[in-house]
């Protein structure tokens, strides 16, 4: 019965979701090309709010648990496990005051209205996972940008999403470079739970009635760790310990 109900709700969701992307694409273009960075960022923030609200069509609830007062005058390196594309908009919306930018695969930089445009022009970095030299060079430049602007870099070190919620081992090379290039920053571990259930039946229909939970853990001063690999290992374990598979 639950899966049967998921079919019409998924169709409705996909229609509204697509309309949001199409509606905000020209708005983003106008803001970026005519008005500048801040108006463009606000248009992206509003898009993320709409995309989060779209999930309510599927009966999705989102809990954002952040007991920490994260500074806006210090760069952040946000490290999270990755369960689905539905991890992204809540992170962008709830952390919007930190000017969220992503380390993203280059394939997402084209073909998706609004999303691809923001990845190309909003300060994120697109990497070619088949070209380590390009990827590492791009992350270096990206890290310098985050350090100089006091913005927030989000990276999913698993490299790809977990289809059943079980975490994959971190691929740490890119994160090590990012940490090196953002020496004055805070590393912020984030655990995502239940996002994978949005695709429990595959791409269609989508899962309904899910409760996606985000837990923001205690931030760590990058500069206080002389052993950056130990810092990354600690962050990975913190994230994993809070993953609830049920």
């Amino acid at each position: 019965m639950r899966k049967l109900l998921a079919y019409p709700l998924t169709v409705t969701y996909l229609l509204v979701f697509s309309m949001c992307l199409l509606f905000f694409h020209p708005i983003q273009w106008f803001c970026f090309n005519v008005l500048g960075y801040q108006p463009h960022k606000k248009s992206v923030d509003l898009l993320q709010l709409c995309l989060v609200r779209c999930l309510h069509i599927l009966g999705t609830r989102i809990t954002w648990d952040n007991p920490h007062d994260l500074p806006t005058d210090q760069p952040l390196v946000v490290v999270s496990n990755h369960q689905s594309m539905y991890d992204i908009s809540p992170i962008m919306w709830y952390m919007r005051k930190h000017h969220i930018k992503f380390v993203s695969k280059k394939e997402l930089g084209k073909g998706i209205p609004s999303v691809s445009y923001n990845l190309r022009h909003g300060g994120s970095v697109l990497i070619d996972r088949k070209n380590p030299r390009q990827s590492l060079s791009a992350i270096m430049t990206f890290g310098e940008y985050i350090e100089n602007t006091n913005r927030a870099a989000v990276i999913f070190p698993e490299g790809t999403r977990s289809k059943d919620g079980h975490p994959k081992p971190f691929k740490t090379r890119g994160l090590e470079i990012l940490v090196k290039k953002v020496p004055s920053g805070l590393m912020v571990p984030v655990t995502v739970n239940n996002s994978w259930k949005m695709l429990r039946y595959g791409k269609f229909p989508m899962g309904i009635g899910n409760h996606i939970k985000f837990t923001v853990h205690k931030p760590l001063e990058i500069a206080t760790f002389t052993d950056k690999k130990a810092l990354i290992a600690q962050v990975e374990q913190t994230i994993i310990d809070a993953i609830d598979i049920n």
Side-chain angles (χ1 to χ4, degrees):
M1 183 65 185
R2 185 187 183 103
K3 188 174 182 179
L4 285 174
L5 181 59
Y7 282 98
L9 291 179
T10 299
V11 171
T12 303
Y13 166 78
L14 291 176
L15 286 172
V16 176
F17 176 82
S18 299
M19 288 172 62
C20 284
L21 296 185
L22 292 170
F23 178 78
F24 277 96
H25 189 88
I27 293 175
Q28 273 197 66
W29 183 93
F30 179 81
C31 288
F32 180 79
N33 288 283
V34 178
L35 303 179
Y37 174 83
Q38 287 293 345
H40 175 246
K41 180 193 176 300
K42 290 182 179 179
S43 73
V44 172
D45 290 345
L46 186 55
L47 168 63
Q48 304 316 314
L49 174 61
C50 291
L51 296 183
V52 168
R53 293 290 182 256
C54 283
L55 290 172
H56 297 333
I57 295 170
L58 299 168
T60 306
R61 292 180 294 144
I62 296 175
T63 296
W64 182 268
D65 181 14
N66 178 20
H68 311 288
D69 185 17
L70 300 175
T72 56
D73 58 352
Q74 186 175 5
L76 306 180
V77 177
V78 180
V79 184
S80 175
N81 62 314
H82 192 27
Q83 295 188 347
S84 78
M85 62 175 281
Y86 305 99
D87 304 339
I88 295 171
S89 286
I91 291 175
M92 292 186 72
W93 172 247
Y94 287 104
M95 298 190 75
R96 60 192 180 279
K97 68 179 181 179
H98 301 286
H99 297 252
I100 292 294
K101 316 298 176 186
F102 283 88
V103 177
S104 180
K105 59 184 181 181
K106 71 170 188 176
E107 290 82 358
L108 296 178
K110 56 184 179 181
I112 309 173
S114 288
V115 173
S116 297
Y117 190 88
N118 183 51
L119 287 174
R120 292 197 311 272
H121 301 287
S124 294
V125 62
L126 295 168
I127 62 172
D128 183 353
R129 293 184 295 182
K130 297 178 182 178
N131 185 343
R133 179 177 295 181
Q134 180 276 338
S135 297
L136 298 180
S137 175
I139 291 174
M140 287 182 188
T141 302
F142 178 62
E144 293 169 356
Y145 163 75
I146 295 297
E147 173 73 13
N148 293 333
T149 57
N150 289 332
R151 290 171 182 165
V154 178
I155 186 168
F156 300 116
E158 291 167 289
T160 187
R161 66 181 179 86
S162 169
K163 296 181 180 180
D164 57 6
H166 290 89
K168 300 177 184 295
F170 277 13
K171 298 177 181 178
T172 62
R173 183 61 180 143
L175 183 53
E176 288 172 9
I177 291 175
L178 195 56
V179 167
K180 182 179 180 180
K181 292 295 182 178
V182 192
S184 70
L186 289 175
M187 184 170 283
V188 185
V190 176
T191 298
V192 182
N193 277 302
N194 299 326
S195 173
W196 67 273
K197 294 179 181 178
M198 300 298 294
L199 301 173
R200 67 167 76 210
Y201 305 126
K203 293 183 179 179
F204 190 87
M206 295 176 61
I208 62 173
N210 297 307
H211 186 185
I212 305 177
K213 301 177 182 179
F214 295 82
T215 303
V216 181
H217 303 284
K218 182 180 178 180
L220 302 170
E221 290 276 359
I222 292 174
T224 62
F225 287 79
T226 54
D227 185 347
K228 306 307 183 189
K229 291 186 177 180
L231 167 62
I232 293 171
Q234 180 178 331
V235 167
E236 180 176 10
Q237 195 59 51
T238 297
I239 293 170
I240 290 174
D241 288 346
I243 295 176
D244 180 19
I245 306 297
N246 54 53

